Amino acid sequence: MAKLFLGLDSSTQSLSAVIIDLDAGKVIYEKSLNFDQALPQFKTKNGVLPNRDPLVKHSSPLLWAAALDLLFAQMKKDKVALGKIIAISGSGQQHGSVYLTEKAAEALANLNPKKSLVENLDGIFSRKTSPIWMDSSTAKECAEIRKKLGGIKFTASRTGSDTFERFTGPQVRKFYKTEPKAYEKTTHIALVSSFMASILAGKIAPIDFGDGAGMNLMDIRKKNWNHDAVKATAPSLVKKLPTLAPSGHVVGPVSPYFVQKYGLNPEALATVWTGDNPASVIGLGLVKPGQVAISLGTSDTFFGTMAQAHTDENGEGHVFGSPTGDYMTLICFKNGSLAREKIRELYKISDWKKFGEHVASTPSGNNDGVLLPWFEAEIVPRTKPGIHRFDLDEKNVAANCRAIFEAQMLSMRLHSQWMQVAPEKIFVTGGASSNPQLLQVLADVMNCSVLRIEVSKSAALGAALQAAHGFLVHTGKSPKWDKLVASFTKPVPGSEIHPDKKAAKIYDQLLEKYASCESDVLEIV
Ligand code: XUL
């Protein structure tokens, strides 16, 4: 019998499902359900509830529950062999938090299949809405917690990251300060991931080491709740937090609700979920320390797997637990395609092919020209918007095309050094990864071969693989992650680009100039 595993990804705008047949090494089903379109009664826009304060971004936990019902109904309608699913895991948008009362455990244990999940769960929340990762209303709380923990370096070295406005701890602190009564009534605080896992398991599920690291509450090395961080956040908090566990760990059989309503096997296992980024790391095949992926999207993201928890003393990058038991880093550069598109517009370049031709027509190192392309306020390095040129003629179209991408890659190299990881190969994904001229610059700056991967729904795929891994461990096997992911995460054939050794030397030197330009500008602004 085919061994099927279901991975779900509850992201900002949608809930997705990926089902894999493990022995066949194939994805057999994929589906996504867009929240705004499928559930308009919740009145979200791009998955977010309207709010007068632009810094406040909340969503509704009942929306996520309703989406789970709808997606299972859709799978049933699509005649998916739900009875053959052996284990389910998932991933959630990171940092978002759900606040439950003492009624929650009982409601979860007694889900009535004659009613919807919304009807079953309405009334278990001490806070109707959930702050999500897009929220940036907790600057004050971040400063308060960071101060109590001894500053950026100590906060990062204990919890994996400096305090960030979207991280759960500062959000919990704000809730405690602004709604103390509702905070007191809260018996359980869940993440999006552990909330969804709790519904499937019919009991309060643990938080995993991947998503737990996005809270500013977990000790990144010991993988338990950090006493000082918890104390700095809110009173009586430790009682409200669930246990921590490895992702994919079996919570129990799925709730009878899903068996009776949708035909899941009563022996199917519900496992611990993780965050969408840790799940993507698996879905992209980064299961060995030293493996790195760069996603060239709206923002550019640098993901890497590492064996030791090195943290960033400047507090720009994050360290989370990886579902493999190693660590992963996430460094997010806000001015990704956003900035590349601005240059394209500015110089009236018709398309990306032409942009690539401009890059190829200029020499590596751009005759020492450097551009700092912060069209938007940047996260890494933290700075205000500003465009700065050094030895670079503003009127030279081709040189500016090369300069922006060289700067972005040099910045990635510079700001990922704290990881102490020398990648053997870099996997690239995202829109701009189809541009060979840009990939050559990437390979040369990093002095490393580059391979393209095209995985859609990498988080849900990672979650399905996590379900398979969790099941195998549960049944006494010792599955190897690299074997498990191999047939699901193959790079695009023939896409490997090797670094040009001469160009790589030029970039070793340009990196020094880039770093000094950056620090000069950061001192002034
Ligand atoms: C990561 C982060 C986002 C969300 C998106 O720190 O905030 O990537 O996980 O869902």
Side-chain angles (χ1 to χ4, degrees):
M1 197 173 90
K3 285 201 193 85
L4 305 187
F5 294 94
L6 167 62
L8 296 164
D9 175 40
S10 183
S11 76
T12 317
Q13 302 200 41
S14 57
L15 178 68
S16 302
V18 164
I19 299 179
I20 56 167
D21 178 335
L22 189 66
D23 295 333
K26 276 197 185 127
V27 170
I28 60 152
Y29 180 83
E30 280 187 46
K31 191 65 97 198
S32 260
L33 186 149
N34 177 283
F35 297 145
D36 298 359
Q37 284 160 19
L39 293 155
Q41 64 272 34
F42 286 92
K43 301 191 167 53
T44 51
K45 194 161 175 238
N46 300 325
V48 184
L49 292 167
N51 197 298
R52 254 178 277 143
D53 183 344
L55 299 180
V56 172
K57 305 280 180 200
H58 283 211
S59 189
S60 161
L62 281 177
L63 160 69
W64 303 325
L68 194 59
D69 254 340
L70 268 190
L71 192 59
F72 269 102
Q74 182 66 47
M75 289 194 272
K76 196 172 168 188
K77 201 167 144 207
D78 290 345
K79 304 219 164 19
V80 172
L82 287 168
K84 288 191 185 157
I85 291 170
I86 292 180
I88 305 174
S89 198
S91 62
Q93 50 172 313
Q94 291 199 254
H95 320 297
S97 41
V98 181
Y99 299 78
L100 304 167
T101 66
E102 59 186 8
K103 291 187 188 149
E106 208 189 314
L108 287 166
N110 295 295
L111 295 174
N112 178 353
K114 295 209 174 82
K115 292 182 179 172
S116 67
L117 284 174
V118 169
E119 287 164 327
N120 273 290
L121 299 177
D122 203 6
I124 66 163
F125 303 97
S126 55
R127 192 182 195 181
K128 285 224 151 52
T129 62
S130 289
I132 62 162
W133 66 279
M134 296 166 85
D135 190 286
S136 39
S137 65
T138 63
K140 220 166 152 217
E141 289 73 19
C142 283
E144 288 163 356
I145 297 170
R146 182 190 294 126
K147 193 169 168 217
K148 286 195 200 155
L149 290 180
I152 294 179
K153 188 175 160 188
F154 285 108
T155 307
S157 78
R158 284 189 205 192
T159 72
S161 299
D162 181 23
T163 48
F164 279 84
E165 288 159 316
R166 67 189 191 281
F167 274 46
T168 322
Q171 291 289 344
V172 169
R173 181 163 179 78
K174 183 181 164 197
F175 181 50
Y176 151 70
K177 281 167 56 184
T178 54
E179 296 178 58
K181 290 228 166 74
Y183 175 77
E184 209 180 301
K185 263 179 60 191
T186 306
T187 51
H188 303 285
I189 297 176
L191 292 180
V192 179
S193 58
S194 71
F195 172 64
M196 298 297 278
S198 302
I199 300 176
L200 280 162
K203 56 172 149 176
I204 303 286
I207 286 176
D208 86 302
F209 307 135
D211 225 9
M215 300 174 79
N216 286 137
L217 290 173
M218 189 187 90
D219 186 307
I220 192 68
R221 291 180 187 83
K222 295 189 189 134
K223 296 181 176 168
N224 55 17
W225 298 121
N226 180 283
H227 175 75
D228 294 339
V230 170
K231 206 166 142 226
T233 301
S236 310
L237 176 55
V238 82
K239 286 193 282 190
K240 303 177 200 284
L241 296 170
T243 51
L244 285 157
S247 43
H249 181 78
V250 171
V251 187
V254 285
S255 157
Y257 176 90
F258 296 93
V259 177
Q260 290 165 32
K261 197 160 184 163
Y262 302 114
L264 277 184
N265 190 316
E267 282 170 27
L269 298 172
T271 72
V272 175
W273 287 32
T274 189
D276 54 1
N277 293 299
S280 276
V281 155
I282 301 299
L284 295 171
L286 310 177
V287 294
K288 283 195 175 161
Q291 288 184 325
V292 161
I294 292 175
S295 166
L296 299 172
T298 313
S299 312
D300 290 339
T301 340
F302 186 100
F303 292 104
T305 302
M306 58 186 183
Q308 309 288 330
H310 297 296
T311 47
D312 179 7
E313 59 179 57
N314 296 319
E316 294 164 346
H318 309 299
V319 177
F320 302 137
S322 161
T324 58
D326 298 302
Y327 292 95
M328 66 159 289
T329 56
L330 176 81
I331 316 175
C332 181
F333 302 81
K334 203 165 171 196
N335 287 277
S337 358
L338 217 76
R340 292 187 284 275
E341 268 157 32
K342 282 269 162 49
I343 288 282
R344 220 188 96 184
E345 263 170 44
L346 213 63
Y347 291 99
K348 301 191 173 50
I349 299 163
S350 54
D351 54 30
W352 289 110
K353 191 166 169 276
K354 190 86 204 141
F355 188 95
E357 283 164 19
H358 279 307
V359 172
S361 73
T362 44
S364 306
N366 225 354
N367 300 315
D368 257 3
V370 167
L371 172 69
L372 301 181
W374 302 319
F375 287 89
E376 298 266 335
E378 183 50 74
I379 312 173
V380 182
R382 278 184 224 203
T383 184
K384 288 187 210 150
I387 315 298
H388 310 270
R389 289 182 175 81
F390 301 83
D391 303 318
L392 178 70
D393 178 3
E394 194 178 344
K395 295 200 189 76
N396 186 335
V397 179
N400 278 272
C401 291
R402 174 172 281 276
I404 183 166
F405 200 65
E406 281 187 347
Q408 291 177 325
M409 296 304 107
L410 286 164
S411 173
M412 263 193 195
R413 183 168 152 188
L414 183 68
H415 293 282
S416 59
Q417 279 172 353
W418 60 268
M419 282 175 60
Q420 302 177 37
V421 164
E424 277 169 32
K425 283 196 170 124
I426 297 177
F427 299 98
V428 223
T429 112
S433 68
S434 56
N435 196 318
Q437 289 93 353
L438 295 189
L439 293 196
Q440 186 64 58
V441 173
L442 197 167
D444 295 346
V445 172
M446 301 289 181
N447 193 9
C448 183
S449 294
V450 167
L451 282 153
R452 251 175 71 207
I453 26 177
E454 278 172 2
V455 182
S456 70
K457 303 193 177 57
S458 59
L461 172 62
L465 290 160
Q466 177 173 281
H469 190 271
F471 164 76
L472 292 169
V473 170
H474 185 69
T475 51
K477 313 253 173 17
S478 314
K480 296 265 174 294
W481 274 106
D482 53 344
K483 289 218 174 93
L484 210 63
V485 304
S487 52
F488 295 94
T489 55
K490 286 199 184 104
V492 176
S495 68
E496 185 156 359
I497 292 183
H498 300 284
D500 175 300
K501 295 291 164 197
K502 257 202 209 144
K505 278 221 174 84
I506 294 175
Y507 288 122
D508 284 344
Q509 278 170 12
L510 194 61
L511 184 69
E512 283 174 31
K513 173 161 179 184
Y514 174 85
S516 83
C517 294
E518 211 188 78
S519 62
D520 286 355
V521 171
L522 294 179
E523 253 172 49
I524 305 163
V525 293

